[in-house]
Amino acid sequence: MTTHATRPAGARETTEGTVYTVTGGDWDEVTRAAEQADDERIVVNMGPQHPSTHGVLRLILEIDGETVTEARAGIGYLHTGIEKNLEYRTWTQGTTFVTRMDYLTPFFNETVYCLGVEKLLGITDEVPERAGVIRVLLMELNRLSSHFVAIATGGMELGATTVMIYGFRDRELCLDIFELITGLRMNHAFVRPGGLAQDLPPGAIDALREFVRTMRKNLPEYDQLCTGNPVFRARLQDVGHLDLAGCLALGATGPILRSAGLPHDLRKSDPYCGYETYDFEVPTTDTCDSFGRFVLRLEEMRQSLRIIEQCIERLAAPGPVMVADKKIAWPAQLALGPDGLGNSLDHIKKIMGTSMEALIHHFKLVTEGFRVPPGQVYTAVESPKGELGAHIVSDGGTRPFRVHFRDPSFTNLQSMAAMCEGGMVADVIVAVASIDPVMGGVDR
């Protein structure tokens, strides 16, 4: 990682001693220069394999005793080339890539991508209402599962192992619902341009109602364990401080921004998928610290349960989950067989037996894909970590010309230095946990 640090480009004497002007350089040179210096400052690496860096994140810390004087993030260790790979796949196949970016929020990745493709196709208003409701349902379930991981891993890093056990216990319930609906626990590719891969399976509504009942019982346990716990509060309060001016300067969104008192949420300010028709609140705190972000995530989970309950009521009546245009609608009727999730044999027989034209159309749609009119679009959704945006460019072909994501983990990670410099080394772990970065989204 290159940075602005160490080759002396000149020196001048001042009343307070020699001042060096440095340009360019690499962190390895910073380390060597610090080792040769006479003072007590040293440069240490936290990561990229440290258990408290949320994946392969490298933090380069210059410390003076136990105080962090300078902090920088080294990223790129998990680079997958997903954005480039999208240029070599059809528009529908793109969902199988984007779902793997921030692997803890797959439904948000899929939805923001598909919303962009639908806008380019001009079919936003043609997407069936039931598909929109199921998208909202899955995203709010995903918000719960993502926050459970944030709280569980944050607790683990602080030594609060009970919080970790509770968090992963409840996340498992979310993944069970995902598996019931999509056939997979992660990397679903369930949201498709024009709608969804398929409708809810039998028994899904009953399972969702049972899930909500369980969550209503389990969520208060986090308050009992942590919120009023003086040890837990003391460890998080006034740690990782970033006020509203800092959030706005660094582009931080999500719980970090709302912990500074600004109720900014794209579900309210720029609604999508019909969010304007749901009744929920946007919680905020004014502490600007790690404890405020913890409390905020708990309240966001309660609001997500409110939205999930409203989705369940709206899904009582059946309906289509894919646009009617057969030149766009991916003809996938899935079935869970002994070999896993695959195309329904009855559906394949229907395609094969209808007509030669139907078979040719199916073949071309699956292998070549549909064409998207030339243009570019930016769409954004409120992911558990903040604003997740997709800038999609089409040249009129069957594949994207360019897709670039504004991942909130990438942007929010910039605030790490502002939160950590001047604090203790031990507090770096708390601050990074409160940011909740996922390196799959940072590196893409």
Side-chain angles (χ1 to χ4, degrees):
M1 167 181 166
T2 56
T3 180
H4 61 283
T6 94
R7 279 193 292 278
R12 59 189 175 88
E13 298 295 327
T14 68
T15 55
E16 295 184 8
T18 306
V19 174
Y20 294 96
T21 305
V22 294
T23 58
D26 186 88
W27 275 107
D28 293 333
E29 297 176 35
V30 177
T31 309
R32 285 195 294 271
E35 288 171 349
Q36 293 166 9
D38 294 331
D39 59 19
E40 291 296 313
R41 294 189 177 185
I42 59 171
V43 176
V44 297
N45 278 295
M46 183 183 288
Q49 68 291 328
H50 192 278
S52 295
T53 52
H54 288 244
V56 280
L57 169 64
R58 178 190 182 198
L59 301 177
I60 305 102
L61 308 176
E62 183 182 294
I63 57 176
D64 184 2
E66 282 288 308
T67 303
V68 177
T69 56
E70 191 169 2
R72 293 290 180 271
I75 64 173
Y77 295 94
L78 199 60
H79 182 55
T80 51
I82 284 174
E83 290 180 351
K84 191 65 179 175
N85 271 310
L86 289 170
E87 298 170 19
Y88 298 92
R89 297 295 188 278
T90 66
W91 293 94
T92 301
Q93 287 172 330
T95 58
T96 63
F97 278 100
V98 300
T99 189
R100 288 166 163 80
M101 294 188 313
D102 181 342
Y103 40 80
L104 294 182
T105 62
F107 289 115
F108 293 91
N109 302 331
E110 296 172 25
T111 301
V112 72
Y113 170 77
C114 290
L115 288 175
V117 177
E118 288 159 6
K119 191 178 284 188
L120 283 171
L121 285 166
I123 61 168
T124 301
D125 296 333
E126 297 172 27
V127 176
E129 182 183 352
R130 185 176 178 85
V133 174
I134 295 174
R135 286 178 178 183
V136 170
L137 170 74
L138 292 172
M139 283 191 285
E140 294 308 318
L141 285 165
N142 205 171
R143 194 180 309 278
L144 284 167
S145 69
S146 177
H147 282 350
F148 279 133
V149 173
I151 290 170
T153 54
M156 175 180 65
E157 290 155 12
L158 299 176
T161 52
T162 306
V163 180
M164 178 201 71
I165 292 167
Y166 278 33
F168 280 107
R169 172 200 67 183
D170 291 337
R171 177 187 180 240
E172 201 66 22
L173 300 177
C174 299
L175 298 189
D176 287 342
I177 297 290
F178 294 162
E179 188 173 11
L180 172 66
I181 294 173
T182 74
L184 295 166
R185 289 160 54 88
M186 299 171 72
N187 306 333
H188 313 276
F190 186 74
V191 182
R192 307 279 176 87
L196 305 169
Q198 63 175 10
D199 201 352
L200 296 180
I205 296 296
D206 291 337
L208 285 163
R209 288 200 173 103
E210 179 60 31
F211 171 82
V212 171
R213 279 194 294 271
T214 304
M215 285 299 116
R216 291 283 184 208
K217 179 172 65 72
N218 289 359
L219 278 180
E221 295 176 351
Y222 295 91
D223 276 318
Q224 296 163 7
L225 266 175
C226 306
T227 308
N229 185 329
V231 177
F232 190 86
R233 291 176 71 107
R235 191 68 187 87
L236 270 68
Q237 283 178 327
D238 299 323
V239 173
H241 186 275
L242 188 69
D243 60 16
L244 182 57
C247 290
L248 296 177
L250 293 166
T253 54
I256 300 175
L257 180 61
R258 291 190 286 274
S259 73
L262 186 67
H264 175 70
D265 190 312
L266 290 171
R267 294 175 294 174
K268 292 284 191 183
S269 61
D270 190 11
Y272 52 92
C273 294
Y275 265 111
E276 66 276 12
T277 65
Y278 292 86
D279 179 30
F280 68 99
E281 307 298 328
V282 178
T284 61
T285 62
D286 58 2
T287 59
C288 306
D289 62 6
S290 298
F291 183 70
R293 290 166 210 137
F294 167 78
V295 173
L296 200 62
R297 288 187 174 100
L298 276 181
E299 183 55 35
E300 284 186 9
M301 288 196 283
R302 297 187 188 99
Q303 297 300 325
S304 288
L305 282 179
R306 284 178 63 184
I307 298 172
I308 290 167
E309 287 179 317
Q310 294 169 60
C311 289
I312 292 171
E313 297 307 314
R314 297 184 187 196
L315 290 170
V321 293
M322 181 58 86
V323 292
D325 187 351
K326 294 300 182 185
K327 294 194 180 301
I328 295 171
W330 185 277
Q333 298 296 323
L334 305 180
L336 192 61
D339 57 345
L341 193 67
N343 280 313
S344 160
L345 290 177
D346 291 336
H347 182 62
I348 294 171
K349 288 175 185 174
K350 180 181 176 183
I351 292 170
M352 298 286 283
T354 303
S355 67
M356 179 57 72
E357 287 76 14
L359 182 60
I360 292 170
H361 175 70
H362 174 82
F363 179 79
K364 283 181 67 66
L365 184 60
V366 172
T367 56
E368 184 183 280
F370 51 78
R371 294 185 179 276
V372 172
Q376 60 180 328
V377 68
Y378 176 81
T379 51
V381 300
E382 186 70 32
S383 95
K385 298 165 179 63
E387 180 177 335
L388 172 64
H391 177 220
I392 304 174
V393 184
S394 172
D395 61 0
T398 58
R399 301 171 181 175
F401 177 76
R402 179 78 171 98
V403 179
H404 176 64
F405 280 82
R406 180 222 186 267
D407 192 277
S409 290
F410 177 82
T411 312
N412 292 346
L413 201 53
Q414 293 181 116
S415 62
M416 184 275 300
M419 290 182 184
C420 298
E421 289 174 359
M424 308 293 281
V425 175
D427 290 341
V428 172
I429 292 165
V430 179
V432 172
S434 76
I435 296 172
D436 184 30
V438 172
M439 301 313 293
V442 173
D443 294 336
R444 297 188 300 286

